[in-house]
């Protein structure tokens, strides 16, 4: 899962996400499959937070464990100017979340797989279903498309461009 709602050195969130796709492709053994970009209302963010640009990318990580991938993603976030301050869900230049890692079910102090709230987030499920229309979240009985239809009341979610593979 990829999100941005803050510019970095005048580079706007749309371009930051496109650049993040290129950084993620370097971690993948196969071409990256990417969703369209979606603009969404901030959810559980401080008042006045800017709207997010969101996307999802599918990859096959090069010989990485889930925790090694997490460390690599956090380094990419830092390279893109991500600052982790005390305020929860503050605006950020780049947010990279591991939504799932194959069929791995994991709960660790640093990482929970699958992502514990992905099934509640339209800004995750809509782009995910673009690139994996029959996806089922590991450990859940209900397919992702059925979960996406159940989500209501999260503000607006607008398609802003179409996907391509990298």
């Amino acid at each position: 899962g990829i999100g941005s709602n803050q510019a970095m050195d005048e580079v706007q969130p749309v371009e930051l996400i496109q650049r993040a796709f290129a950084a993620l492709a370097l971690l993948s053994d196969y071409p990256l499959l990417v969703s369209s970009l979606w603009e969404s209302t901030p959810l559980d963010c401080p008042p006045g937070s800017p709207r997010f640009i969101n996307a999802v990318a599918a990859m096959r990580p090069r010989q990485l464990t889930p925790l090694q991938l997490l460390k690599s993603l956090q380094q990419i976030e830092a390279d893109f100017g991500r600052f982790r301050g005390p305020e929860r869900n503050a605006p950020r230049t780049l947010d990279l979340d591991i939504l799932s890692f194959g069929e791995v079910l994991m709960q660790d102090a640093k990482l929970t797989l699958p992502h514990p709230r992905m099934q509640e987030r339209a800004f995750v499920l809509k782009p995910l279903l673009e690139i994996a229309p029959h996806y089922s979240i590991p450990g859940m009985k209900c397919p992702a498309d059925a979960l996406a239809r159940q989500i209501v009341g999260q503000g607006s979610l607008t398609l802003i461009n179409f996907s391509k593979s990298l």
Side-chain angles (χ1 to χ4, degrees):
I2 305 166
S4 175
N5 72 337
Q6 183 177 37
M8 177 186 81
D9 299 330
E10 299 189 30
V11 178
Q12 296 303 309
V14 167
E15 187 174 342
L16 287 172
I17 289 182
Q18 291 167 337
R19 290 180 183 185
F21 288 153
L24 292 172
L26 297 174
L27 299 176
S28 185
D29 274 338
Y30 292 93
L32 201 64
L33 185 61
V34 300
S35 74
S36 299
L37 301 183
W38 295 75
E39 185 178 55
S40 65
T41 303
L43 185 63
D44 301 328
C45 293
S49 292
R51 292 178 62 81
F52 272 90
I53 304 300
N54 299 101
V56 169
M59 64 187 295
R60 176 172 274 166
R62 290 196 169 123
Q63 302 176 343
L64 296 176
T65 67
L67 289 174
Q68 289 169 329
L69 178 60
L70 176 64
K71 185 176 178 181
S72 295
L73 297 181
Q74 289 173 337
Q75 182 59 56
I76 292 170
E77 290 176 337
D79 293 346
F80 277 69
R82 170 79 186 259
F83 171 74
R84 293 180 187 273
E87 188 173 30
R88 182 172 161 83
N89 295 329
R92 46 206 175 264
T93 54
L94 187 63
D95 186 29
L96 300 173
D97 290 326
I98 302 173
L99 301 176
S100 66
F101 195 96
E103 294 297 317
V104 173
L105 299 176
M106 173 181 177
Q107 190 160 3
D108 180 272
K110 295 180 180 182
L111 181 63
T112 299
L113 292 173
H115 189 286
R117 292 173 303 285
M118 69 183 282
Q119 73 276 4
E120 303 165 4
R121 310 280 201 232
F123 62 83
V124 170
L125 292 176
K126 294 270 186 177
L128 172 66
L129 290 168
E130 256 188 275
I131 61 173
H134 305 292
Y135 182 74
S136 289
I137 300 169
M140 297 200 73
K141 297 180 194 290
C142 190
D145 61 340
L147 292 168
R149 288 191 298 270
Q150 296 172 12
I151 295 174
V152 293
Q154 286 192 4
S156 67
L157 181 67
T158 307
L159 179 67
I160 61 172
N161 84 342
F162 295 102
S163 66
K164 64 180 188 301
S165 293
L166 297 177

